[in-house]
Amino acid sequence: MGKKKDDRRYDAFSMFVHARACWKSAALLGRRRYRYTQTILESFSLEIFLKCIHRVRRRAVPGGHDVRDLFDRLSKADRRQIEKLFNVRVQQSRTCRDMSKHGYVFDITSTFERIDGMFMKLRYPYENQELSKDQYGNEGNAGLSELIAACSA
């Protein structure tokens, strides 16, 4: 059996800085209309922010890219706090208000359903993987930025 990775190599501050750099880079790319690459970096930054929270709480940093699983493994208090901050961000977002007129729902469950596997599906565009849909049949990254903001707070 393979040797287990040394979990101590993950420094919470370095993880936070890396996640924030990805998120800010994504924002710059978005302003230049590189939406596809923006979404890949945003998805990756969310994953790192969630792993960072695990590290800050002195828990083992889970492997993999399943952001819903990373979120679900957080304490109930952490999940509630993120959901509360997410809801505030959604209410402040003009984009979320506009998209809700077109059938998008911005609760944390629907957002996680839409972004499920997004990083893995988008990083290799030639594989043409279908994006996940929420329970209402909507797909895309709607709510991703608000979720990242909540996790980074």
Side-chain angles (χ1 to χ4, degrees):
M1 190 146 77
K3 191 175 178 181
K4 189 175 178 179
K5 291 181 184 175
D6 182 1
D7 201 44
R8 292 172 293 172
R9 68 189 170 101
Y10 297 108
D11 170 297
F13 180 73
S14 297
M15 293 173 78
F16 181 85
V17 169
H18 185 67
R20 187 164 170 80
C22 288
W23 185 29
K24 295 303 176 183
S25 297
L28 291 172
L29 288 166
R31 287 188 201 118
R32 298 273 187 199
R33 305 283 187 244
Y34 294 105
R35 301 282 187 222
Y36 190 84
T37 308
Q38 174 190 12
T39 303
I40 294 169
L41 278 174
E42 283 180 336
S43 301
F44 188 50
S45 71
L46 175 61
E47 175 187 328
I48 300 168
F49 276 127
L50 288 167
K51 288 180 177 183
C52 180
I53 295 169
H54 283 278
R55 170 48 68 218
V56 166
R57 299 294 187 237
R58 300 192 184 281
R59 291 189 204 106
V61 177
H65 303 286
D66 185 341
V67 291
R68 184 62 203 227
D69 180 58
L70 292 169
F71 178 77
D72 288 344
R73 289 181 182 210
L74 294 173
S75 71
K76 192 173 188 176
D78 284 337
R79 290 192 312 267
R80 271 196 309 256
Q81 181 65 14
I82 289 169
E83 187 167 3
K84 179 181 166 186
L85 293 168
F86 171 76
N87 290 333
V88 169
R89 294 290 184 159
V90 165
Q91 288 177 350
Q92 295 171 343
S93 170
R94 182 176 46 206
T95 302
C96 290
R97 282 193 302 274
D98 290 345
M99 292 187 79
S100 65
K101 295 174 188 172
H102 299 284
Y104 279 81
V105 175
F106 289 96
D107 58 57
I108 203 158
T109 300
S110 298
T111 300
F112 270 116
E113 288 172 351
R114 282 191 296 274
I115 64 172
D116 180 45
M118 189 168 275
F119 172 67
M120 296 295 287
K121 293 173 183 177
L122 292 179
R123 69 183 182 161
Y124 300 121
Y126 51 83
E127 291 181 354
N128 294 321
Q129 296 185 48
E130 264 189 54
L131 293 179
S132 300
K133 293 181 177 6
D134 63 21
Q135 62 209 6
Y136 306 101
N138 297 311
E139 66 180 18
N141 65 340
L144 177 58
S145 293
E146 291 75 19
L147 189 52
I148 296 167
C151 290
S152 69

